[in-house]
Amino acid sequence: MPAERHRLILFDVDGTLISAGGRGGRALLRALGETYGVEVRAHGYSFAGKTDPQIVRELLTAQGLSPEAIATGREEAFARYLTYLEEELTPGTVQVLPGVKGVLAALAAAGATLGLLTGNLAEGARIKLQAAGLAGVFPFGAYGSDEEDRNRLVPIARRRARQLTGWEFPG
């Protein structure tokens, strides 16, 4: 008889679980402008599929900032971003996308291990999910604050799932 197979299901946040109506982008642009003293424009820029650190690097590089200048202000910019994100995402401003609550309930009932794999900073994901009423649904995740390269997040999520559950998730 084969060993029991455990399922690991990882979710992105923005556009998969929730919609914040562009509020996160506004908070980030405001933080970058104040931190770096430049007007950062995102017209035509796609945030989709990227980590927050990657977004910051790309937007600021397009403004002519050097990698050193970007690195110098990054922690301050992220701290401001999280403050502004919390201000922007008050209850009722974040929409849980249709079908999400039902899917999450069904997967949890089936015994799946649920986690996040998102380009958001860990605290940014927490703020967004809390505003959406999904706080506490995901006991772990892999985040843009862990790694700028989104492709490197899967092994982080698998390791954290194993640490939490004691089970291997071979992929």
Side-chain angles (χ1 to χ4, degrees):
M1 187 161 132
E4 182 179 359
R5 185 170 175 174
H6 300 281
R7 301 278 182 195
L8 172 61
I9 311 293
L10 301 171
F11 289 88
D12 192 7
V13 174
D14 298 293
T16 300
L17 297 171
I18 62 138
S19 173
R23 290 174 184 84
R26 281 198 305 271
L28 181 60
L29 294 176
R30 178 180 169 199
L32 294 178
E34 290 179 9
T35 303
Y36 294 96
V38 295
E39 184 179 348
V40 181
R41 295 193 178 137
H43 180 70
Y45 180 81
S46 175
F47 290 74
K50 299 176 182 178
T51 63
D52 287 347
Q54 178 185 2
I55 292 166
V56 167
R57 181 179 47 76
E58 289 177 358
L59 288 173
L60 293 174
T61 298
Q63 294 294 317
L65 275 75
S66 70
E68 296 77 19
I70 294 168
T72 299
R74 194 170 110 154
E75 293 306 313
E76 178 185 342
F78 283 147
R80 287 181 185 207
Y81 163 62
L82 295 171
T83 297
Y84 300 150
L85 187 64
E86 210 151 26
E87 290 172 7
E88 288 269 351
L89 301 184
T90 57
T93 61
V94 179
Q95 174 189 3
V96 177
L97 294 175
V100 165
K101 288 184 179 180
V103 167
L104 295 176
L107 289 170
T113 299
L114 304 179
L116 296 173
L117 192 145
T118 178
N120 282 282
L121 302 176
E123 182 64 9
R126 185 201 63 76
I127 291 167
K128 290 176 180 183
L129 293 175
Q130 182 174 348
L134 295 175
V137 173
F138 303 95
F140 72 96
Y143 307 93
S145 46
D146 294 320
E147 178 64 55
E148 180 176 333
D149 182 348
R150 191 179 183 111
N151 294 322
R152 295 183 179 174
L153 294 179
V154 173
I156 295 169
R158 288 176 58 207
R159 184 180 70 244
R160 288 181 178 157
R162 183 179 62 250
Q163 290 168 342
L164 179 70
T165 66
W167 301 326
E168 289 294 328
F169 298 96

